[in-house]
Amino acid sequence: QVQLVESGGGLVQPGGSLKLSCAASGSIFSISIMNWYRQAPGKPRELVARITNGGSTDYADSVKGRFTISRDNAKNTVYLQMNSLKPEDTAVYYCNADIRSSPYNSKNYWGQGTQVTVSS
């Protein structure tokens, strides 16, 4: 069984920073793409950033220049460094990844989410 566990959320003032982490554990053969999504109250879940196992990244326009996604393949962990936070960044942030437990299968997994609140 594979699990994704996020950490690092919390309350921060506008202009502040937070770093989220997401560690994958369990029966893992390989991890391809790893993503961060977020969902604000009353809004659909949206893709924030993604990173391939080769390190290629992509960002939502709303976070470009402020957020940085990275990963440590040896630790099966993905990070999201969030700087210059705005109240509109307030949301539950979810980790998502395509993980193989063997060479023959791949499955998409979600973490449980971590709350990020940006408020003075």
Side-chain angles (χ1 to χ4, degrees):
Q1 187 72 356
V2 173
Q3 282 188 316
L4 295 176
V5 179
E6 300 106 332
S7 61
L11 173 64
V12 63
Q13 292 186 341
S17 298
L18 279 176
K19 187 173 184 177
L20 306 182
S21 300
C22 171
S25 63
S27 180
I28 297 172
F29 176 78
S30 66
I31 303 176
S32 56
I33 198 160
M34 302 186 83
N35 308 301
W36 284 100
Y37 284 79
R38 68 185 180 187
Q39 187 167 21
K43 293 188 177 181
R45 192 171 295 189
E46 64 172 351
L47 178 65
V48 175
R50 57 177 42 182
I51 184 168
T52 68
N53 55 5
S56 296
T57 60
D58 193 22
Y59 297 90
D61 288 342
S62 59
V63 306
K64 280 181 182 176
R66 300 189 298 122
F67 290 10
T68 302
I69 190 171
S70 61
R71 65 190 282 174
D72 184 333
N73 291 330
K75 295 181 179 180
N76 292 328
T77 300
V78 63
Y79 305 96
L80 186 67
Q81 177 67 48
M82 305 184 294
N83 298 329
S84 302
L85 282 161
K86 305 175 181 180
E88 51 263 45
D89 295 317
T90 295
V92 178
Y93 284 70
Y94 296 92
C95 177
N96 171 269
D98 289 334
I99 299 175
R100 292 183 181 272
S101 296
S102 79
Y104 313 108
N105 67 3
S106 180
K107 185 176 177 181
N108 188 257
Y109 292 88
W110 289 90
Q112 81 286 356
T114 185
Q115 177 70 46
V116 172
T117 302
V118 185
S119 175
S120 56

